[in-house]
Amino acid sequence: MSTISKENYLKAIYQNLSLGVAATTSKLSNDLEVSNAAISDMAKKLSKEGLISYEKYKGMVLTKEGKKIALDVIRRHRLWEAFLAKVLGIPWGEVHNEAERLEHHSSEELINKIDEYLGYPDFDPHGDPIPRSNGNLPDAPKFIPLTKTKVGTAYKIARVNDKNTDLIRYFTKIGLKINGKLKVVDRLSFDDSLHVEINGRPFTFSEKIAANIFVNEYNPETEK
Amino acid sequence: MSTISKENYLKAIYQNLSLGVAATTSKLSNDLEVSNAAISDMAKKLSKEGLISYEKYKGMVLTKEGKKIALDVIRRHRLWEAFLAKVLGIPWGEVHNEAERLEHHSSEELINKIDEYLGYPDFDPHGDPIPRSNGNLPDAPKFIPLTKTKVGTAYKIARVNDKNTDLIRYFTKIGLKINGKLKVVDRLSFDDSLHVEINGRPFTFSEKIAANIFVNEYNPETEK
DNA sequence: CTATTAATTTAAGCATGCTTAAATTTATGT
DNA sequence: ACATAAATTTAAGCATGCTTAAATTAATAG
């Protein structure tokens, strides 16, 4: 049987794997803020239930069924984020924490109603793609980490990491928003910090901040 | 510390006491669908935490603090019901089950946003009063159970029990709605079944159904 | 290649909130 | 009043999902 805890484990495994990061015991221990022993324990259970495949000391991979559950949890999470932001005007930096709890307590019918209400959106307020009810992700260009962009080039801001409320508040403050334009002015090789321009104003991002921002090619034709 | 389970116990105790029903072990066991032993167990814990006062074999009473939590859970429940019905158009018979889960997973900020969005409503879709954020209940005339009404009199439908989806679906089907008019035509002494008129159409309610409907005086002046 | 370090797993234990079965207390009928 | 029934509590046990500490396996440096 699936529980809140198992949903969270599956989601965390999915999110690591989808970023190309191995779902190891220590990585998950860090992500989920529980001990290594707890991860090891749960890995056995999820494996026995056929939701992950797991060999001792080797990390975890989702089975088809495990992936389906993970995507469903993510769907619920992102739809809640979009819904709360749109209807209640909750700031995009704060919807994550609410969604983190609500995602485990909503019927499929409720989630589909929210989806319908929002007009079947493809992305949540942070630019993350929302899995459809059939489990597919909408097509979208692959996100480019701001850390890997070219100096002198303009990009479209496509996604920010949804997990840090304070950082997103700062983004709001400086006018950084999804689908906005960002120009990479310079990158200091000393610390990989970035000089960028947003709405004509200059800002400097540490590498750590830049790692939370993702962009796409900027296409002046399709933008206003 | 308060948990989902404790919130549910406190809510159930409150709801019994507010109907003038003693919060005994067996009553709560029935309401919460757990064993008598579980109730007994929890009674000790809640008592130790100062949320109820409890003497063995004597039933439970909420302390001030326990009542505060109970009212807060009820507030969350009823605001969710109102919100889901209004925004998503979820039928009034179905919002209860969703609210039953969401009530335990919403921050105070979220609940207050919902309250604000709805314009600080006094009643939920079933006619139940919504506790305010300060813990007070809105003033309202006391509900009269349909079972205690006078034959030949017209009443305003004020509240229905929110717990039975099927029954509420039936109410919808026959045009029974909150604030609607209902005339008591006859009561059979044999089984206390009621003949009523709603929108000019006659219906018969068993006593069991009537016990789930509550009314107020009908005032033709204030009604349209 | 081996010693040391890092990562992971196993073992034992704990809190929560249930269960069933047995014991106990309270209520009821005559 | 007193036997019986009903209600309640106690006892023992279980599943979940954690913890810390010890044991084990894998990775890495020299």
Side-chain angles (χ1 to χ4, degrees):
Chain A
M1 210 211 44
S2 213
T3 64
I4 296 171
S5 206
K6 285 174 187 170
E7 286 189 349
N8 283 329
Y9 277 76
L10 294 172
K11 185 175 63 160
I13 295 168
Y14 177 89
Q15 282 171 337
N16 276 293
L17 297 181
S18 75
L19 291 172
V21 177
T24 62
T25 299
S26 48
K27 183 58 169 48
L28 291 175
S29 163
N30 189 65
D31 291 351
L32 296 170
E33 300 184 274
V34 297
S35 67
N36 285 317
I39 304 291
S40 232
D41 238 46
M42 185 61 94
K44 276 187 225 158
K45 291 180 198 164
L46 293 174
S47 178
K48 192 169 295 177
E49 287 187 55
L51 301 175
I52 67 172
S53 84
Y54 167 63
E55 263 183 284
K56 275 190 207 174
Y57 300 100
K58 293 285 174 60
M60 298 152 239
V61 180
L62 292 173
T63 62
K64 195 167 175 181
E65 198 190 343
K67 184 176 171 187
K68 184 162 164 275
I69 294 174
L71 280 165
D72 192 48
V73 178
I74 290 168
R75 168 176 164 78
R76 288 180 246 141
H77 181 96
R78 293 180 182 168
L79 281 170
W80 268 118
E81 287 190 341
F83 183 66
L84 295 180
K86 173 138 184 191
V87 179
L88 296 177
I90 295 180
W92 64 316
E94 277 149 48
V95 290
H96 174 76
N97 292 326
E98 302 290 349
E100 202 66 15
R101 302 179 63 190
L102 298 173
E103 66 186 9
H104 304 295
H105 305 283
S106 341
S107 72
E108 195 181 331
E109 294 75 40
L110 174 54
I111 292 299
N112 289 341
K113 283 264 186 190
I114 289 175
D115 199 10
E116 181 190 353
Y117 176 90
L118 295 171
Y120 307 101
D122 284 341
F123 298 95
D124 76 11
H126 314 97
D128 283 304
I130 301 174
R132 306 187 194 290
S133 57
N134 65 9
N136 292 339
L137 282 165
D139 311 324
K142 215 168 172 223
F143 298 126
I144 305 164
L146 188 54
T147 53
K148 301 224 170 124
T149 49
K150 276 183 284 198
V151 166
T153 311
Y155 293 92
K156 184 169 84 166
I157 297 157
R159 178 186 166 243
V160 305
N161 190 313
D162 70 345
K163 293 190 181 55
N164 195 313
T165 299
D166 289 341
L167 183 58
I168 297 179
R169 271 207 206 104
Y170 172 65
F171 290 159
T172 301
K173 192 174 145 199
I174 67 176
L176 183 158
K177 35 169 151 327
I178 300 300
N179 292 326
K181 183 178 167 183
L182 176 153
K183 190 174 168 190
V184 179
V185 175
D186 198 12
R187 174 180 285 113
L188 300 197
S189 61
F190 173 66
D191 63 351
D192 282 315
S193 65
L194 279 180
H195 290 181
V196 304
E197 208 177 280
I198 297 170
N199 301 325
R201 293 194 300 158
F203 298 99
T204 303
F205 293 153
S206 67
E207 203 216 343
K208 197 169 169 190
I209 287 185
N212 285 282
I213 302 171
F214 299 82
V215 300
N216 284 149
E217 305 298 339
Y218 180 70
N219 187 336
E221 314 261 322
T222 53
E223 321 302 325
K224 69 119 203 319
Chain B
M1 208 212 45
S2 213
T3 64
I4 296 172
S5 208
K6 284 174 187 170
E7 286 189 348
N8 282 329
Y9 277 75
L10 294 172
K11 184 175 62 160
I13 295 167
Y14 178 87
Q15 283 173 335
N16 276 293
L17 296 181
S18 75
L19 292 172
V21 177
T24 62
T25 300
S26 47
K27 182 59 170 48
L28 291 175
S29 163
N30 188 66
D31 292 351
L32 296 170
E33 300 183 274
V34 297
S35 67
N36 284 317
I39 304 291
S40 233
D41 239 46
M42 185 62 93
K44 275 187 227 159
K45 291 180 198 164
L46 293 174
S47 178
K48 192 169 295 178
E49 287 187 55
L51 301 175
I52 67 172
S53 85
Y54 167 64
E55 263 184 283
K56 274 190 206 173
Y57 300 100
K58 293 285 176 59
M60 297 154 239
V61 180
L62 293 172
T63 63
K64 196 168 176 181
E65 198 190 343
K67 184 174 171 186
K68 185 161 163 274
I69 294 174
L71 280 165
D72 192 48
V73 179
I74 290 168
R75 169 176 164 79
R76 289 180 244 142
H77 181 97
R78 293 180 181 167
L79 281 171
W80 270 118
E81 288 190 340
F83 183 66
L84 296 179
K86 173 139 185 190
V87 179
L88 296 177
I90 295 180
W92 64 316
E94 278 149 49
V95 289
H96 173 76
N97 292 326
E98 302 290 349
E100 202 65 15
R101 303 178 62 191
L102 297 173
E103 66 186 9
H104 304 295
H105 305 283
S106 340
S107 71
E108 195 181 331
E109 294 76 39
L110 174 54
I111 291 300
N112 289 341
K113 282 266 186 189
I114 289 175
D115 200 10
E116 181 189 355
Y117 176 89
L118 295 171
Y120 308 101
D122 284 340
F123 299 95
D124 76 11
H126 314 98
D128 283 304
I130 301 174
R132 306 188 194 290
S133 58
N134 64 10
N136 291 339
L137 281 164
D139 311 323
K142 216 170 172 224
F143 299 127
I144 305 164
L146 188 54
T147 53
K148 302 224 169 124
T149 50
K150 277 183 284 200
V151 166
T153 311
Y155 293 92
K156 184 169 84 166
I157 297 157
R159 177 185 166 243
V160 305
N161 190 312
D162 70 345
K163 293 190 180 55
N164 195 313
T165 299
D166 290 341
L167 184 58
I168 297 179
R169 273 207 204 104
Y170 171 66
F171 289 158
T172 301
K173 191 174 146 199
I174 67 176
L176 183 159
K177 37 170 146 336
I178 300 300
N179 291 326
K181 183 178 167 184
L182 176 153
K183 190 174 168 189
V184 179
V185 175
D186 197 11
R187 174 180 286 113
L188 300 195
S189 62
F190 173 66
D191 64 351
D192 282 316
S193 66
L194 279 180
H195 291 181
V196 305
E197 209 177 279
I198 297 171
N199 301 325
R201 294 192 300 157
F203 299 99
T204 303
F205 292 153
S206 66
E207 204 217 340
K208 197 169 169 190
I209 287 186
N212 285 282
I213 303 171
F214 300 82
V215 300
N216 283 149
E217 305 296 340
Y218 180 70
N219 187 337
E221 315 261 323
T222 52
E223 321 300 326
K224 69 126 196 316

